[in-house]
Amino acid sequence: MNGIVDTIKNVLKETDLVLGWTTDPVTGVATPARFHDEKEAEQAVFDSTCAHNLAVHLPRLKDSRVGIVAKGCDARSVIELIIEHEVQREQLAVIGVGCGSLLDVKKIWRRYGYGVAIKDRDDSLLIGGEQVNRDEFIQRKCHGCLEADPDIYDVIAGEVTGEIPTDTVRPHPLHDMFVSLTPAERRSFWREQFSRCIRCYACREVCPMCFCRDVCIMQTQIPRWAGGAVDAKQSEMIQLIRVNHLAGRCTGCGECERACPVGIPLMLLLDEQNHAIEEMFAYGAGASLKARPPLLVFDVNKDIWGKG
Amino acid sequence: MKFIASDRIDGLLERLGERGPVWAPREPEGAAGTVLFAPWRPGDAVELDRFTTLSAKKLVLPASEKLLSFSYSLTPEGEALDITGADQGRGDTVLFGARVCDARAFTVLDALLALPPGESYQDPGYRSRRRNLLVITLACTAGDAACFCSSWKEGTASTQGSDLMLYPAGEGYLARSVSPRGEELLALDIWEDSDLEPPELAVTDRVPFEALEAKLVGSLFSDLDFWRELTAKCVSCGYCTYTCPTCYCFDMYDEMSSSRDGERCRSWDACMFYLYTLETSGHNPRPTIAHRYRNRIGHKFSYYPANQGPVLCTGCGRCIRGCPVGLDIRDVLRAAGER
């Protein structure tokens, strides 16, 4: 079993580049990187700050043979991108890594300041020398982890954990609060949340499945589907459109929520929808290469919703 | 020097509120720890220890605004087009707890958007909001690893763009006015006299950028490989431009309420978006992320200083702190310097 550096070096023999992470010298946390040769690959790391889903880059690399380091959640995006023909299985070398839950680095920085020293060792997390409760600083998505180990890989780097890292699969941390609200309260909850939105579209750009990118309907001029105002009403509508376009396609990687500069809990919307789709169609996006998306194969004469 | 104890800040904000709406750094509920400049009302907690995620630029350049409304009519008597400009008149707005980089950003924007009449195009909305903005700045005794305002000569000691400076000292803040309007604020009966010494101010990261002005329109402009390599991980969102205190680009559009009536509006736009330079013909002079990022850096560190004077950056570090892919503008500037 090879470490991440050696594995990437091996994979580079058959690929043009490998998508992975390196350590940012200023903050000491991982940042996405591309490796083209053995020398560059020396800088590769994998640790609990490797939160980014690198699959977002695949649709832009259609003409390359690409190696990609993938956690369990990232692998689901890779699978879904293959199913949707955004990337070909043959052009990929997937380097699977086992993940034991990721740190929410932005949350740590917001609380303790950008670049604060973070030491994550097994059961103890030290922030700026202070011992803290690790559970409080892991990514929200890790609380509802679907896949600790990748379901698609050509080679494994390090060790896979073989188990879901958190004790139980849990819904979004805000789920219980949200479902206790009346419809009117839900409306005002989202209005309040979206009042902070600045329409930077970070949620869209980091989403591996939002690959319409430059021709996204939220910004096209002809026709103009969305208004130009930056206000809660527009942002809410835009996000509902995005969520709907991800129906049966969102793999729950949580990147939109991680990227949001103003802390809007976007995965609350997507988690609810993902659960509904799982119930209705027994489909989880990115769970299996063999599965076919319900929107593609649903037959109204045979598969009537609710029939069983 | 004048002094105010920390536990009397609420009293100060209430007095400032007599002059107009007060905006202060606050942590909204349910915002995952984000600190933002937000309207302050009595009883609201103010967050003065942590940096805000978004800058204060929306106080002078709202994320979107109506410029005018229009109405077209056709009757047997003839046709008419009524145009009504948006109301620009407004009273004071108070910005409390800006940092040196936030306050200085206003003067950087002034170099383009508030030039004297006759000298340049006019932006009446910006001018009126800027004129009516009172800026109370909190000097930094500590920066974080993203700060690089010391790249500029005065660094954390700058008072540009501020009316009143606050310096952490003892169990409160020393105050110094740096404008006539700041002097008015010091005349309020809320201040005490104090013998405390002003604190040592922070020294932050320094990034050399002086040599870039010529280089960015010269050798680096045609070096697209350089930009491709550095922006490989960029996903082309608007995070850096929208959190930036000096990015001012906007898009104008009409919101029609019928085929004859509508409003002309503008909203923030970001040069990192593909649509920003997409032309009607379908041609896009900046088709890739590398092209767009080159323009972002070129505009900030070359074209703007060449045309307007100041560099279009104050080293606030916001584009670094929350970039979804951890792209650090300082790495780009240093690499550009060495190229």
Side-chain angles (χ1 to χ4, degrees):
Chain A
M1 200 82 67
N2 279 327
I4 191 76
V5 171
D6 291 335
T7 310
I8 290 177
K9 282 182 181 174
N10 277 334
V11 167
L12 273 171
K13 288 172 188 155
E14 305 144 23
T15 55
D16 303 319
L17 75 160
V18 171
L19 302 172
W21 293 270
T22 188
T23 299
D24 181 296
V26 174
T27 58
V29 308
T31 185
R34 290 180 183 199
F35 308 107
H36 301 87
D37 56 41
E38 290 209 348
K39 190 165 166 270
E40 288 178 7
E42 290 288 342
Q43 306 300 317
V45 296
F46 181 73
D47 60 36
S48 61
T49 63
C50 295
H52 325 77
N53 185 348
L54 305 174
V56 69
H57 295 287
L58 294 178
R60 284 196 174 102
L61 294 166
K62 286 192 167 80
D63 301 324
S64 306
R65 292 173 306 157
V66 186
I68 177 170
V69 186
K71 310 178 289 285
C73 44
D74 309 337
R76 289 176 74 100
S77 304
V78 174
I79 289 172
E80 194 63 23
L81 285 168
I82 294 170
I83 290 177
E84 298 196 15
H85 302 292
E86 275 301 304
V87 62
Q88 303 302 315
R89 179 69 185 92
E90 298 70 40
Q91 75 179 97
L92 293 182
V94 182
I95 302 169
V97 282
C99 171
S101 81
L102 300 155
L103 293 179
D104 187 342
V105 170
K106 257 165 87 173
K107 185 175 183 181
I108 294 172
W109 286 344
R110 280 170 176 168
R111 177 99 47 102
Y112 295 91
Y114 178 86
V116 66
I118 301 171
K119 282 204 178 68
D120 190 18
R121 291 201 195 102
D122 296 330
D123 281 343
S124 81
L125 175 63
L126 292 174
I127 302 178
E130 179 192 335
Q131 175 116 19
V132 298
N133 175 12
R134 190 178 186 279
D135 214 34
E136 200 188 323
F137 291 100
I138 68 171
Q139 292 276 342
R140 266 180 181 168
K141 67 169 174 180
C142 301
H143 285 292
C145 179
L146 295 165
E147 217 87 58
D149 298 331
D151 272 351
I152 183 175
Y153 57 84
D154 297 290
V155 57
I156 289 282
E159 286 173 24
V160 290
T161 56
E163 58 186 37
I164 290 171
T166 45
D167 41 357
T168 47
V169 175
R170 281 179 280 175
H172 194 280
L174 296 177
H175 169 84
D176 290 347
M177 180 284 298
F178 185 70
V179 293
S180 73
L181 301 178
T182 65
E185 288 167 339
R186 291 181 187 193
R187 162 55 53 95
S188 57
F189 170 81
W190 285 116
R191 276 287 151 91
E192 180 68 31
Q193 289 288 338
F194 284 116
S195 69
R196 297 196 303 275
C197 175
I198 52 172
R199 289 182 74 166
C200 69
Y201 296 109
C203 49
R204 178 186 74 191
E205 302 298 352
V206 296
C207 175
M209 302 317 296
C210 270
F211 47 69
C212 298
R213 299 248 157 72
D214 300 340
V215 290
C216 173
I217 71 149
M218 298 173 202
Q219 280 174 303
T220 53
Q221 301 292 308
I222 309 168
R224 283 193 60 206
W225 296 103
V230 182
D231 61 26
K233 209 171 133 192
Q234 287 297 337
S235 298
E236 184 181 83
M237 184 51 71
I238 284 169
Q239 204 54 237
L240 288 177
I241 294 172
R242 178 173 171 268
V243 168
N244 267 266
H245 283 191
L246 288 167
R249 307 177 55 243
C250 170
T251 60
C253 76
E255 280 291 87
C256 49
E257 186 167 311
R258 184 186 67 81
C260 181
V262 291
I264 301 173
L266 295 168
M267 281 309 289
L268 181 55
L269 286 170
L270 287 155
D271 278 351
E272 295 297 312
Q273 179 172 271
N274 290 347
H275 280 125
I277 284 161
E278 201 160 16
E279 264 175 38
M280 287 183 203
F281 305 106
Y283 183 80
S288 160
L289 260 182
K290 294 191 189 83
R292 285 293 164 261
L295 276 173
L296 212 63
V297 295
F298 184 77
D299 182 342
V300 76
N301 294 315
K302 282 195 296 189
D303 314 316
I304 298 169
W305 167 49
K307 203 174 159 187
Chain B
M1 269 171 105
K2 296 290 185 190
F3 177 84
I4 188 159
S6 298
D7 58 9
R8 298 199 63 203
I9 288 291
D10 279 8
L12 171 63
L13 291 171
E14 268 183 56
R15 297 296 301 275
L16 294 171
E18 292 163 10
R19 304 186 65 120
V22 176
W23 288 64
R26 294 183 46 221
E27 184 184 335
E29 208 181 315
T34 311
V35 180
L36 303 168
F37 289 107
W40 177 89
R41 286 174 200 87
D44 287 342
V46 180
E47 174 56 66
L48 292 178
D49 294 331
R50 293 182 289 153
F51 295 127
T52 56
T53 301
L54 305 184
S55 75
K57 77 172 164 194
K58 73 172 174 184
L59 292 177
V60 286
L61 278 173
S64 62
E65 70 172 316
K66 180 177 111 177
L67 299 172
L68 54 88
S69 51
F70 53 87
S71 175
Y72 173 82
S73 59
L74 181 62
T75 61
E77 286 76 44
E79 57 177 356
L81 181 63
D82 287 330
I83 295 176
T84 318
D87 182 17
Q88 305 290 3
R90 64 182 68 225
D92 285 348
T93 297
V94 181
L95 171 60
F96 179 85
R99 300 300 179 124
V100 166
C101 47
D102 299 323
R104 209 163 66 73
F106 296 131
T107 65
V108 172
L109 290 173
D110 290 347
L112 175 72
L113 300 172
L115 289 170
E119 219 174 275
S120 181
Y121 25 76
Q122 298 293 305
D123 190 326
Y126 176 89
R127 279 183 77 89
S128 103
R129 285 184 290 263
R130 178 74 178 96
R131 198 169 43 233
N132 295 325
L133 186 66
L134 261 162
V135 182
I136 300 169
T137 303
L138 175 61
C140 296
T141 50
D144 69 15
C147 293
F148 62 108
C149 69
S150 294
S151 307
W152 284 263
K153 207 173 111 202
E154 290 184 292
T156 44
S158 169
T159 60
Q160 288 178 63
S162 301
D163 294 297
L164 191 74
M165 297 296 303
L166 295 179
Y167 301 95
E171 296 294 304
Y173 303 91
L174 291 167
R176 178 161 76 95
S177 75
V178 286
S179 82
R181 302 179 80 199
E183 202 61 43
E184 284 172 34
L185 296 180
L186 273 192
L188 292 172
D189 58 11
I190 197 151
W191 308 98
E192 304 164 34
D193 288 314
S194 165
D195 300 331
L196 286 168
E197 289 289 318
E200 191 89 6
L201 296 178
V203 177
T204 67
D205 192 9
R206 286 196 176 93
V207 185
F209 51 75
E210 288 76 11
L212 295 181
E213 188 175 319
K215 228 172 162 181
L216 282 164
V217 286
S219 58
L220 281 174
F221 191 85
S222 47
D223 193 354
L224 210 54
D225 282 344
F226 169 79
W227 298 104
R228 274 199 201 101
E229 197 182 308
L230 279 160
T231 60
K233 63 182 172 182
C234 176
V235 291
S236 202
C237 75
Y239 174 85
C240 48
T241 45
Y242 286 179
T243 57
C244 175
T246 58
C247 276
Y248 57 84
C249 285
F250 56 83
D251 182 31
M252 299 231 301
Y253 54 93
D254 291 346
E255 298 279 18
M256 302 298 291
S257 48
S258 74
S259 59
R260 298 175 171 195
D261 312 294
E263 292 178 344
R264 176 147 300 174
C265 308
R266 69 170 168 184
S267 293
W268 288 352
D269 200 358
C271 58
M272 290 310 297
F273 294 149
Y274 177 81
L275 279 162
Y276 180 88
T277 44
L278 180 61
E279 296 170 7
T280 318
S281 65
H283 172 67
N284 194 335
R286 297 179 203 147
T288 71
I289 294 174
H291 289 92
R292 303 199 278 278
Y293 198 83
R294 177 186 69 185
N295 174 74
R296 179 173 157 75
I297 299 297
H299 185 211
K300 286 191 170 300
F301 294 90
S302 179
Y303 327 149
Y304 196 85
N307 293 320
Q308 258 67 44
V311 169
L312 198 59
C313 171
T314 64
C316 75
R318 283 192 180 87
C319 58
I320 301 166
R321 280 182 206 106
C323 172
V325 297
L327 184 56
D328 190 328
I329 192 172
R330 294 169 299 184
D331 292 344
V332 178
L333 296 174
R334 289 191 168 113
E338 286 161 19
R339 186 80 162 185

